[in-house]
Each structure stands twice: as C-alpha cells, then as structure tokens.
Amino acid sequence: MANLVYKRVSTDQQSTARQNLVLHEAGIEDPVAFEETPGTSSRLHPLQRPKFRELLTYARPGDTVHISEMFRLVRGTGHILDVLDSSTATRSHCASTTAHSPRRTSPPATRAPESCCPP
C-alpha cells in the first residue's frame, strides 16, 4: 500500500516547500509524489489536471492519496464528490493534512473520516 502525494502551486514564483513540510510533519513515509507543473490552473476540474489523472491511474486498492490542504486540489463540494467517486473506483483512500496553526486547539487530521472515503 503506497502513500501517494499530490502537490500543486499556482505560479512559478511559488514552491512546494510548505506542502512538503506539512506532509513531512504528518509522518507520510516513502511518498510517491505527483507534482503539477507550476501554473496549472486551479480553475481546472481536479480530474482534468494531468498529474492528478496520472495519480489516479497509478493508484491501487489500499493506497492513500495525501494532499497538504484540500484547496490544493478542489474548489467546492462538487469537486470533492467527484474526487471521492474516483478514489472509490480505485479503492484508494483520501487524506487531507492541515498545517498546525496557532488558532488550532487540536492536532491536524491526517485521514479523512471513514464515512467519506469507503475502502
């Protein structure tokens, strides 16, 4: 079972350093990374983004897809549902890891609730 990581930045002036830090702090071991070319539009539906499509093709039953923050992949509920449908079809799991914030009172979630990502 592999840990698959999806990364995206909006411009070539940005880096994935923060995403890498968040995923590292979450303890993601031996990740297989799929990183979009800088500038890949957030306006594209997630299932139309080249590296995310590649990730879905690569995913096997039991793999976990990790994203540092959901906004790196989706822009609304419809996108979330489409991504969950795709992960259900590949029998992989979804996980969004959130960075620690001074306003947080509990540790970040490292796995989506089982009810939203059926095995």
Side-chain angles (χ1 to χ4, degrees):
M1 292 183 254
N3 287 309
L4 311 179
V5 172
Y6 177 77
K7 302 178 201 175
R8 184 190 66 79
V9 293
S10 300
T11 72
D12 57 1
Q13 271 72 51
Q14 296 175 320
S15 80
T16 58
R18 183 173 181 282
Q19 294 174 61
N20 293 336
L21 178 65
V22 169
L23 294 163
H24 174 76
E25 286 179 350
I28 310 303
E29 295 181 15
D30 302 320
V32 178
F34 296 84
E35 189 170 330
E36 293 287 359
T37 304
T40 300
S41 177
S42 63
R43 291 183 181 98
L44 278 178
H45 189 285
L47 302 179
Q48 295 174 331
R49 295 184 191 155
K51 289 296 180 177
F52 191 68
R53 285 195 333 246
E54 185 180 322
L55 180 151
L56 290 175
T57 300
Y58 183 94
R60 300 292 177 256
D63 288 353
T64 301
V65 177
H66 298 274
I67 306 156
S68 62
E69 296 130 332
M70 287 302 285
F71 77 86
R72 296 286 173 196
L73 179 63
V74 298
R75 290 294 182 200
T77 305
H79 288 180
I80 292 171
L81 295 173
D82 291 343
V83 168
L84 291 175
D85 284 346
S86 294
S87 69
T88 300
T90 61
R91 298 187 64 210
S92 57
H93 301 277
C94 308
S96 174
T97 305
T98 307
H100 288 281
S101 164
R103 289 181 273 155
R104 282 187 83 86
T105 57
S106 61
T110 57
R111 213 179 155 90
E114 292 300 320
S115 62
C116 82
C117 294

